[in-house]
Amino acid sequence: QVQLVQSGGGSVQTGTSLRLSCETSGDTFRGLTAAWFRQVPGEGREFVAAMRPTNSNPYYADSVKGRFTFSRNSLQNTVFLQMNSLTPEDTAVYYCAAGRPITSTLRRDSSYAYWGQGAQVTVSS
């Protein structure tokens, strides 16, 4: 069973940075696509970023491109989301996910079977 354990998050001011981590046992991310989604109350999960197990260039949502960076450690058991230049529009609960989506479904939350517990990110102006 794949378990994803998140850490990071918190409350920060506009323009600052945060880093989220998502750890799993073994080298799970060697064989699965990892992704980050976020959700605000009353809405569905919004795609943020994803990375294939082949360690190709990450995919990003247009809203975070150039500000967020998705990376993975060499042991393939932890992924990170470095979030810079945060704005209040980035306020949400952030979830890491893992699964085997095909390219056309990479940005759909339904394509991922495994989820972290979520981390609140609050950005104040």
Side-chain angles (χ1 to χ4, degrees):
Q1 174 126 8
V2 175
Q3 290 187 321
L4 306 178
V5 179
Q6 294 181 227
S7 59
S11 296
V12 296
Q13 293 191 326
T14 296
T16 57
S17 301
L18 278 176
R19 189 174 83 157
L20 304 178
S21 301
C22 178
E23 184 175 359
T24 185
S25 59
D27 58 352
T28 296
F29 293 122
R30 189 181 300 278
L32 296 176
T33 294
W36 290 95
F37 287 80
R38 63 188 183 185
Q39 187 173 27
V40 298
E43 297 185 12
R45 287 174 176 164
E46 175 192 14
F47 172 79
V48 175
M51 180 183 288
R52 290 288 196 191
T54 54
N55 208 26
S56 56
N57 291 333
Y59 300 82
Y60 294 102
D62 288 344
S63 58
V64 306
K65 199 174 296 183
R67 301 187 298 121
F68 289 13
T69 302
F70 193 174
S71 62
R72 182 167 53 203
N73 70 345
S74 59
L75 295 176
Q76 305 285 348
N77 66 348
T78 306
V79 294
F80 307 94
L81 185 68
Q82 177 67 41
M83 305 183 293
N84 298 330
S85 301
L86 287 163
T87 74
E89 289 68 38
D90 296 315
T91 295
V93 177
Y94 284 71
Y95 295 92
C96 67
R100 296 184 174 88
I102 59 176
T103 300
S104 62
T105 65
L106 191 82
R107 299 169 187 261
R108 298 180 191 172
D109 59 351
S110 59
S111 298
Y112 296 86
Y114 310 105
W115 291 85
Q117 79 275 20
Q120 177 69 47
V121 171
T122 302
V123 185
S124 58
S125 57

